[in-house]
Amino acid sequence: MKRRSEPGLREQQLLREKILGFGEGSLRKSHYPELRVRLLELERFRFILDQIDLGIMIIGMNDDTILDCNEETCRLFGKSRRDLVGTTIESHLHDAGWYSRMKEAGGGVEILASPHFSTVSPRYLEVALHQVSFGGDAYLITIVRDITDEKAASDTIVRTRDMFAAAFRLSHMPDASEGRILTEALQKTVLLTQSRYGILGVVSHDERFFTTYRSDAGSSSQSGISPIGKNGPWERIMVGNGASIADEGIRMDLPITDGGSVVAIISLFEKAVPYDDLDLKQAMYLGEILWQVILRRRAEDRLRRLNAELEDRVSRRTAELAIANSELEAFTYSVSHDLRTPLRSIDGFSLALLEDFGESLPAEASEYLRRIRAASQRMGDLIEDLLLLSRISRKEIRRETFSLSDLAAEIIADISSSHPRANVSVHISEGMFVSADRRMIRIALENLLGNAWKFTVGKERTEISFDMRDDGITPVYSISDNGAGFDMVYAKKLFLPFSRLHSNEEFPGTGVGLATVSRIIRKHGGAIRAEAAVGAGATFYFTLGTKNEIGEEENHVSG
Amino acid sequence: MFQDETILLVEDNRDDELLTLRAFTRNRIANPIVVVRDGEEALDYLFARGSYAARQQDSFPVLILLDLKLPKLDGHEVLRAIRQDERTRLIPVIILTTSAEEEDIVASYDLGANSYIRKPVDFSEFMEAIRLVGTYWLILNEQPRLR
């Protein structure tokens, strides 16, 4: 009691001296204006304090009585200054723990959430306590700062960051199934909005039922399928009620729309505090991201299915082709064997007739038998050439590097020994190296050079030349002769099997040779064409693929 | 066991048989020729079984002319059986066929054919081929004496 009254008394005395010193005591009017100035200063200071948005209180160190406070303090407590001044601070606090803690520590700063203060709306407060002493007495000054708005702003930043993290995670689940993505999205939304649980319903294509998923913050699962009825909360959303917070803030419903119609609904329940606009916006945003991810996943799935189907079709088609190919092989084998056998009999017995009965046969009969033999032999040649053509079509090319010049020289040597002729001039360019199938190219050159030889028969002088022109990318080879040539009108027919531009009497042949050459050239990725004029010889130009292509194929074959 | 002068001709086509025999005759090859019509009969003859059970068991042909496309056992199977048996594995076998397929030629040599001759359509050429066969395999070629 003494401790409490002593400072009170002194205080009064001091105050009295102050007033007496300038007023009554002195009775000197000269002090009066001075007094007014001081009073004005005091009021001005009070005004400043009241304008500050910090709650400031002076509390007696010994009895915890609020000695004075400013307007902001009144606002924070929701009370008038009269209600506060002279009462103890504890009587206004729900929880005075912070006060005793800081008092004991001789000061400090703490952030308190209401209801530490009995304020009206939930606030966040930063409370600082300082010990001061003046006039020989100790006081506590509390400074309270309302940081609710600041905290809301920083919370928004944190939650927005969390939302983007969730959205990013959602859009980076490359191997997850649609169900995984949906449950993950629901769980993220539940966590982000601090809900107790959430339910997600995906509308089926025929809009007859929802596929539902449930998440309780910790775990998520597909919970089933529910038919779309008439009057449930989701059905009301289906017909366009939009996103809403319902049931006094403990439920939030969010439709996800695609092209104007609702494709899914997320419902969230029981946040510790009512849902706010930020919750709604963020959940909506996640919902939109989710749907984009789902659409992308569906498109990818479709593409994967299509690819699988395509692969399946290709392998089926390949198998069919393999069967067709083997049938064709069996067929050509059969042709090769069975078609030739009777021809041999025809030829053989015709010869036998000529040999055994030739003398008793009339000359005409012998002539007919010779024609029979010639025809059967010609048919044998036709079969032979056809077989070669089909064999080349089936065969894979095997590239090796060799000299085209040497090969051509060998072929010319063969031809000139089997069909010798005088006055021949053959020019073959040196050093023409190629990467090609040697056996096939031999067949092609035998045909081209053989043709040049054949169609120059009867010329005074046979001139054949084999050259190359290289532009650095695709070497072009040419084989030219000074023979019979042909009319360019028929050039297109040249490379078709059985098309002949000359009669068999004039120049014998089956008409399959150039078709075979063309097929060989094409198999090598090259092209062939001819230039000619009747009586002025012919030139065949061909390529065997570009240098690049050849390089690649070579690697491919060896690898 | 001894080698007679017989030539075994395995040929299912009657025309070809006749023409081949004609070619031998006209080329003055006088060896006796036994003709069998399918792969099974060929092996029956060689190993003296079936309808050839009465044949002298230790006598073998000097030369076998074998077609590839045959009823029952084909030429390749016959050749395999010949090469697998101690008694017949050294007899010269000449494949005489219409096929010029690479696979047939390779398979024949793989199985131990001594020669592969394609029957040409032109009978004059065929005659020439038979003449060369007779000259080479029956006159020039030296074979180990069979036990």
Side-chain angles (χ1 to χ4, degrees):
Chain A
M1 197 66 203
K2 202 183 167 200
R3 274 177 62 84
R4 275 175 69 104
S5 65
E6 249 179 19
L9 197 67
R10 276 196 63 173
E11 209 176 340
Q12 278 172 20
Q13 273 174 345
L14 273 170
L15 201 61
R16 195 157 165 260
E17 272 168 25
K18 264 185 181 171
I19 295 165
L20 285 177
F22 299 119
E24 283 175 85
S26 73
L27 293 174
R28 277 160 57 184
K29 286 234 168 115
S30 61
H31 287 291
Y32 197 66
E34 180 72 26
L35 191 70
R36 279 184 57 112
V37 168
R38 290 285 172 93
L39 211 64
L40 209 66
E41 269 177 10
L42 264 175
E43 271 171 17
R44 204 156 57 208
F45 188 61
R46 161 117 258 153
F47 182 76
I48 290 167
L49 283 180
D50 281 345
Q51 289 302 305
I52 285 180
D53 61 354
L54 300 171
I56 304 171
M57 282 182 284
I58 301 175
I59 297 162
M61 182 75 167
N62 297 326
D63 56 7
D64 302 322
T65 309
I66 300 171
L67 295 176
D68 204 348
C69 67
N70 67 347
E71 278 294 313
E72 177 68 6
T73 312
C74 299
R75 197 185 64 79
L76 287 170
F77 278 103
K79 288 174 179 166
S80 70
R81 186 177 280 138
R82 188 181 303 171
D83 293 334
L84 294 169
V85 174
T87 59
T88 60
I89 175 81
E90 284 104 330
S91 65
H92 300 286
L93 298 174
H94 286 305
D95 167 19
W98 64 269
Y99 177 74
S100 26
R101 263 198 312 276
M102 281 196 273
K103 184 176 173 184
E104 213 159 281
V109 181
E110 277 193 34
I111 290 174
L112 308 170
S114 58
H116 291 288
F117 278 75
S118 51
T119 48
V120 186
S121 56
R123 314 296 297 174
Y124 288 93
L125 306 170
E126 183 190 75
V127 183
L129 197 77
H130 305 283
Q131 239 179 51
V132 293
S133 41
F134 49 82
D137 284 311
Y139 304 93
L140 292 167
I141 290 180
T142 55
I143 298 169
V144 182
R145 195 160 70 91
D146 184 342
I147 58 164
T148 309
D149 292 344
E150 269 172 49
K151 190 165 169 16
S154 73
D155 280 0
T156 304
I157 290 169
V158 170
R159 286 170 64 185
T160 306
R161 191 196 63 202
D162 289 350
M163 182 194 71
F164 280 122
F168 181 81
R169 162 96 181 104
L170 267 190
S171 49
H172 288 81
M173 298 173 67
D175 296 320
S177 65
E178 189 174 320
R180 263 286 321 280
I181 295 169
L182 288 167
T183 48
E184 180 81 14
L186 181 59
Q187 194 174 351
K188 288 260 182 277
T189 314
V190 166
L191 289 172
L192 188 72
T193 56
Q194 295 173 304
S195 303
R196 207 161 71 76
Y197 67 99
I199 301 172
L200 163 68
V202 180
V203 180
S204 67
H205 282 298
D206 53 10
E207 299 202 351
R208 280 176 49 218
F209 53 84
F210 293 109
T211 308
T212 57
Y213 301 84
R214 189 188 157 99
S215 170
D216 297 271
S219 67
S220 300
S221 61
Q222 182 171 0
S223 62
I225 284 174
S226 71
I228 297 179
K230 284 210 164 90
N231 291 312
W234 275 2
E235 282 76 1
R236 282 196 289 280
I237 294 166
M238 284 283 287
V239 295
N241 269 12
S244 63
I245 297 171
D247 300 344
E248 295 173 333
I250 65 159
R251 172 188 180 125
M252 185 158 67
D253 292 303
L254 311 141
I256 299 170
T257 57
D258 186 8
S261 53
V262 177
V263 287
I265 297 169
I266 299 176
S267 290
L268 299 160
F269 299 90
E270 298 180 21
K271 188 184 181 178
V273 294
Y275 288 112
D276 57 23
D277 269 359
L278 186 64
D279 293 321
L280 198 71
K281 267 187 206 146
Q282 293 199 327
M284 284 293 285
Y285 180 77
L286 270 193
E288 277 165 29
I289 295 282
L290 165 67
W291 198 248
Q292 294 306 315
V293 171
I294 291 294
L295 288 180
R296 195 180 67 196
R297 168 45 30 90
R298 287 183 181 172
E300 282 167 5
D301 285 350
R302 223 170 9 247
L303 202 65
R304 213 169 300 168
R305 257 199 319 277
L306 280 174
N307 271 337
E309 274 170 30
L310 196 68
E311 254 169 51
D312 189 46
R313 257 205 320 256
V314 166
S315 66
R316 259 207 318 270
R317 196 65 51 86
T318 308
E320 283 168 14
L321 273 176
I323 291 168
N325 214 28
S326 70
E327 277 171 3
L328 192 70
E329 263 169 57
F331 173 75
T332 49
Y333 183 86
S334 177
V335 165
S336 136
H337 202 274
D338 298 343
L339 230 54
R340 289 166 50 91
T341 305
L343 281 178
R344 208 164 45 241
S345 296
I346 294 167
D347 187 75
F349 289 112
S350 302
L351 184 61
L353 265 178
L354 281 170
E355 282 172 352
D356 295 359
F357 306 100
E359 280 167 19
S360 54
L361 280 177
E364 218 177 350
S366 298
E367 172 58 19
Y368 291 165
L369 281 171
R370 265 188 290 279
R371 279 177 186 271
I372 290 172
R373 287 199 67 205
S376 54
Q377 279 164 24
R378 182 165 154 71
M379 186 162 170
D381 292 345
L382 271 170
I383 291 171
E384 199 74 355
D385 285 359
L386 260 185
L387 275 176
L388 181 65
L389 182 64
S390 94
R391 217 173 288 150
I392 279 160
S393 308
R394 281 179 287 144
K395 232 180 157 86
E396 291 290 320
I397 60 168
R398 292 179 157 279
R399 288 189 193 267
E400 58 181 299
T401 302
F402 61 92
S403 162
L404 215 50
S405 312
D406 293 353
L407 182 62
E410 271 173 44
I411 292 167
I412 287 291
D414 284 351
I415 296 172
S416 53
S417 78
S418 61
H419 300 85
R421 191 185 291 172
N423 265 331
V424 179
S425 147
V426 178
H427 163 79
I428 298 170
S429 285
E430 291 291 314
M432 296 187 286
F433 283 91
V434 290
S435 168
D437 188 310
R438 192 189 165 92
R439 296 180 66 173
M440 284 202 204
I441 295 300
R442 170 178 273 277
I443 293 167
L445 287 188
E446 276 170 355
N447 272 288
L448 290 171
L449 295 170
N451 278 350
W453 196 271
K454 179 164 75 182
F455 290 102
T456 47
V457 74
K459 289 272 164 186
E460 227 165 78
R461 183 177 177 78
T462 295
E463 283 166 25
I464 296 172
S465 92
F466 184 9
D467 298 295
M468 179 187 72
R469 215 183 54 239
D470 189 357
D471 63 359
I473 301 164
T474 313
V476 179
Y477 304 94
S478 61
I479 293 178
S480 52
D481 63 61
N482 64 333
F486 57 87
D487 190 339
M488 284 298 282
V489 171
Y490 306 112
K492 274 184 186 166
K493 282 182 146 186
L494 215 52
F495 300 104
L496 298 174
F498 302 114
S499 308
R500 302 212 63 219
L501 303 185
H502 303 91
S503 74
N504 206 40
E505 281 72 37
E506 209 179 352
F507 298 103
T510 59
V512 185
L514 282 179
T516 305
V517 172
S518 163
R519 208 162 284 186
I520 290 170
I521 299 292
R522 270 187 284 135
K523 267 200 140 358
H524 281 80
I528 185 164
R529 69 187 171 84
E531 270 174 23
V534 176
T539 304
F540 286 82
Y541 297 94
F542 65 94
T543 61
L544 292 170
T546 67
K547 282 173 175 171
N548 278 344
E549 281 167 1
I550 291 165
E552 275 166 29
E553 277 186 50
E554 216 165 18
N555 291 340
H556 183 68
V557 168
S558 64
Chain B
M1 196 179 286
F2 69 98
Q3 206 161 30
D4 52 38
E5 294 298 303
T6 311
I7 296 169
L8 179 64
L9 175 62
V10 190
E11 175 61 77
D12 66 315
N13 185 298
R14 298 283 174 148
D15 283 359
D16 274 5
E17 174 198 331
L18 201 54
L19 289 169
T20 310
L21 293 178
R22 180 182 170 83
F24 273 106
T25 314
R26 289 191 70 85
N27 281 312
R28 299 193 174 77
I29 297 169
N31 298 51
I33 298 175
V34 173
V35 182
V36 290
R37 312 223 169 275
D38 62 54
E40 200 178 279
E41 201 185 339
L43 294 181
D44 280 354
Y45 174 83
L46 283 171
F47 303 122
R49 58 191 196 199
S51 53
Y52 294 94
R55 196 177 79 84
Q56 194 180 345
Q57 284 221 17
D58 51 0
S59 157
F60 294 95
V62 68
L63 187 67
I64 299 172
L65 300 176
L66 182 61
D67 196 0
L68 283 184
K69 218 176 162 212
L70 293 168
K72 300 181 190 175
L73 291 176
D74 72 24
H76 286 139
E77 288 169 299
V78 172
L79 181 54
R80 184 180 289 117
I82 290 170
R83 288 294 176 247
Q84 274 170 0
D85 196 289
E86 267 306 307
R87 294 168 290 175
T88 53
R89 67 182 181 89
L90 293 176
I91 302 175
V93 175
I94 294 161
I95 303 294
L96 196 60
T97 185
T98 321
S99 166
E101 293 292 314
E102 186 81 10
E103 296 81 35
D104 282 342
I105 298 171
V106 171
S108 299
Y109 281 114
D110 269 353
L111 289 169
N114 296 76
S115 187
Y116 190 105
I117 295 169
R118 191 183 181 206
K119 296 181 212 166
V121 167
D122 187 334
F123 190 69
S124 314
E125 288 172 30
F126 185 65
M127 293 263 287
E128 178 62 11
I130 291 296
R131 189 183 71 77
L132 291 171
V133 164
T135 312
Y136 183 79
W137 290 103
L138 299 176
I139 298 166
L140 290 176
N141 194 43
E142 286 289 344
Q143 289 180 50
R145 296 281 152 234
L146 291 175
R147 290 153 289 165

